[in-house]
Amino acid sequence: MKKAVAAGLGALALGLLGFAQMGQKGQGGAQVPAYQGSIPVSQGYANEAQEASAYQALAKVTAEEAVKAAQQALGTTAAPTRVSLGNENGYLVWEVVLAGQEVKVDAGTGKVLHWETVGKEEKGSTEEHEGENSPHEDVEEGD
């Protein structure tokens, strides 16, 4: 009986330890939410200026087009408070902050990948939050 209880407690402790170590990472080390963009990027740049220049050269969608996609997804005409190009989950995305929301827009297609309330931690993929903070439809460049 003591061995069964000890084994059960050991398994529970290992399970809790594994869960605690996941943090913002999913199984296999994937970032949560696990959306994917169309332009893969790396983090091996000497400085921020070099990184920004490389990202600008790779982006097919302009900042203005990303803002338009974010506004359309949120159903607002609010002006953005921040627009930046960066690496999310290993892909190039525009991060547009407007109307209290942080919107991730694919820098290759203009599709809205994810959004969330500013300051709120990301807690899952767009599929898990359908209707809460995921795109209602694909937003294509020029729409």
Side-chain angles (χ1 to χ4, degrees):
M1 176 73 172
K2 285 185 180 180
K3 286 183 182 181
V5 171
L9 288 175
L12 177 63
L14 284 175
L16 289 174
L17 178 62
F19 182 75
Q21 288 178 342
M22 281 176 43
Q24 281 293 90
K25 302 283 184 185
Q27 291 181 348
Q31 185 172 338
V32 176
Y35 49 83
Q36 293 184 344
S38 63
I39 302 174
V41 292
S42 64
Q43 297 179 350
Y45 298 98
N47 57 49
E48 286 183 32
Q50 185 184 36
E51 179 182 74
S53 177
Y55 287 173
Q56 283 291 336
L58 290 171
K60 296 176 183 171
V61 173
T62 66
E64 293 79 17
E65 291 166 334
V67 168
K68 184 177 177 182
Q71 289 171 328
Q72 187 174 358
L74 296 178
T76 183
T77 58
T81 56
R82 185 178 74 219
V83 179
S84 60
L85 194 55
N87 179 343
E88 288 286 332
N89 296 342
Y91 294 93
L92 189 62
V93 301
W94 284 103
E95 182 178 288
V96 180
V97 178
L98 58 94
Q101 300 291 311
E102 183 176 296
V103 183
K104 308 293 184 170
V105 179
D106 186 294
T109 65
K111 178 183 176 184
V112 173
L113 301 171
H114 178 81
W115 73 76
E116 65 193 20
T117 302
V118 173
K120 181 178 176 184
E121 285 190 29
E122 296 176 354
K123 292 185 179 182
S125 70
T126 55
E127 291 81 20
E128 292 171 352
H129 295 288
E130 193 65 44
E132 176 185 328
N133 62 349
S134 61
H136 300 288
E137 60 185 45
D138 289 348
V139 179
E140 294 297 325
E141 179 180 337
D143 281 350

